[in-house]
Amino acid sequence: MGKRIIRLSELMEYHKVKEVYKDRIACFRLDNQLVNIDTIPPAFADIFSFLLVTSGTATFSINYHVHTLCPGDMLLLSPSILVAITHQSTDFAAMNLMCERSFFEHMLSSFTAYQSYALFFCRSSLPVLHLSAIQADSIVTSMQQISHTITCPYVYRDSILNHQLHTLLLQVLERVEECMATLPPAVSRNETLFHNFILLLINHYHEEHYLEFYARQLCISTTYLSRIIRKVTQKTAGYFITGLLFAEACRLLIYTDKTAQEIANELHFSDQSAFGKFFKTHSKVSPQQYRTAHQAQTDGNKLQATNE
């Protein structure tokens, strides 16, 4: 694997991880026994990740800066972070939760308080939380429950995982808020503009797909807003706009029976064809193919649960 954007499905296949659900969530024990643990150079992954060290130590290259993590250290990774494990002690072990980008961004957009998670990456030079033994044990327990749910053929597995993931994210946010409280109280104008852009986006991304709207609401030029977003996050404005739009399209296809035309209307595309082109650009399949594939997988899970 070279330095390119890696998808969750191919990363889990490369490491032979079995605790994966619908190529959207993986939660597993990370240690020296993991297949190919030492063979990936620094890489971008289209993944949000929570890695909590439970024993031993590991050295990570994070955007080419070397950091050693110890028990109780939790590494938070987003798609904009270039990361690799460069060394680990023989007793190193961690719990690792990974979420596919569009799935996780939909979670972030579902609750305004979650936006402090995005702000944390803007304000912290090192995305590591230092947890007490009690805090670490609580989060490890939540991650182990998620891992167990992934491997069990529950009929209501989607709903169970959804609640467990929200519980875990709230636990992590408690620690994020503590960390943010130790940072200087005043944020820069750039960070404030970005945060206000995110809040606007959550409220308007269904109907407003272009940066001009958000710049106008913030009373600045489109060029300036675009530059600020890239400076603060190292990402384009389109990354955030299309990311939320695609995540919502996936949710509507999986969890509702709305037609592609109805979804196109709800998300304010000019017509069904425009929606189809947008969706295929980001998923490589048509909306109907995406829905059919997920329905087949759900039916298979229900059949397996019935047989067992």
Side-chain angles (χ1 to χ4, degrees):
M1 291 188 178
K3 194 174 80 173
R4 59 184 180 83
I5 298 177
I6 300 171
R7 302 281 295 178
L8 177 64
S9 56
E10 61 182 321
L11 186 62
M12 295 300 93
E13 172 62 26
Y14 188 70
H15 288 306
K16 306 302 179 186
V17 172
K18 299 187 182 301
E19 298 92 340
V20 185
Y21 186 58
K22 292 185 177 180
D23 291 335
R24 293 185 301 175
I25 312 165
C27 193
F28 55 97
R29 177 184 166 89
L30 175 65
D31 57 28
N32 288 313
Q33 303 304 309
L34 188 69
V35 176
N36 295 323
I37 190 172
D38 293 322
T39 59
I40 295 184
F44 291 109
D46 209 27
I47 297 165
F48 285 86
S49 176
F50 304 76
L51 186 150
L52 177 55
V53 179
T54 55
S55 66
T57 61
T59 301
F60 289 80
S61 171
I62 304 171
N63 290 335
Y64 293 113
H65 294 284
V66 176
H67 302 279
T68 299
L69 271 60
C70 304
D73 288 343
M74 186 171 209
L75 176 62
L76 307 179
L77 298 174
S78 73
S80 64
I81 295 176
L82 190 65
V83 64
I85 299 178
T86 59
H87 181 265
Q88 60 276 333
S89 63
T90 56
D91 59 342
F92 167 70
M95 283 301 296
N96 197 6
L97 171 70
M98 294 184 169
C99 293
E100 187 270 332
R101 174 193 159 195
S102 64
F103 173 78
F104 191 76
E105 286 184 342
H106 176 74
M107 283 187 62
L108 292 182
S109 70
S110 66
F111 185 30
T112 302
Y114 287 173
Q115 295 317 303
S116 60
Y117 189 83
L119 193 59
F120 170 74
F121 285 99
C122 300
R123 302 199 60 204
S124 177
S125 59
L126 177 63
V128 174
L129 302 175
H130 305 290
L131 310 181
S132 69
I134 293 176
Q135 292 167 347
D137 287 345
S138 177
I139 289 178
V140 165
T141 298
S142 293
M143 296 174 85
Q144 289 172 336
Q145 290 173 339
I146 292 169
S147 182
H148 175 74
T149 301
I150 288 173
T151 59
C152 290
Y154 297 129
V155 173
Y156 299 108
R157 182 158 42 174
D158 275 349
S159 296
I160 295 171
L161 279 173
N162 185 59
H163 286 291
Q164 289 176 334
L165 285 167
H166 278 290
T167 297
L168 175 64
L169 186 52
L170 288 171
Q171 287 177 299
V172 173
L173 280 174
E174 288 284 346
R175 310 287 76 83
V176 166
E177 295 290 353
E178 290 175 359
C179 181
M180 295 276 280
T182 66
L183 297 176
V187 298
S188 71
R189 171 172 166 75
N190 290 349
E191 291 171 349
T192 300
L193 280 172
F194 171 71
H195 189 55
N196 290 340
F197 162 70
I198 290 295
L199 293 177
L200 279 170
L201 184 60
I202 291 170
N203 290 323
H204 297 286
Y205 74 91
H206 276 74
E207 65 274 10
E208 299 294 345
H209 303 174
Y210 298 100
L211 192 60
E212 288 81 359
F213 168 82
Y214 301 99
R216 192 163 57 248
Q217 294 297 308
L218 295 169
C219 300
I220 57 178
S221 72
T222 302
T223 302
Y224 182 63
L225 179 56
S226 179
R227 187 164 64 245
I228 292 303
I229 293 170
R230 182 174 285 281
K231 183 175 181 179
V232 171
T233 69
Q234 291 77 56
K235 300 175 186 175
T236 66
Y239 172 92
F240 295 97
I241 298 172
T242 61
L244 282 180
L245 203 56
F246 178 67
E248 180 63 3
C250 291
R251 186 190 71 81
L252 291 171
L253 286 166
I254 295 173
Y255 297 111
T256 76
D257 58 1
K258 293 180 179 180
T259 66
Q261 180 63 65
E262 289 172 329
I263 294 173
N265 292 340
E266 183 169 333
L267 298 181
H268 288 255
F269 284 89
S270 58
D271 53 36
Q272 183 178 336
S273 176
F275 169 64
K277 289 178 181 177
F278 166 84
F279 193 86
K280 194 165 186 178
T281 296
H282 294 278
S283 69
K284 309 305 180 187
V285 296
S286 70
Q288 186 56 51
Q289 289 171 325
Y290 182 85
R291 169 175 275 167
T292 300
H294 278 270
Q295 185 60 55
Q297 188 171 30
T298 299
D299 291 344
N301 290 336
K302 289 182 178 180
L303 180 61
Q304 182 181 1
T306 301
N307 292 336
E308 294 184 358

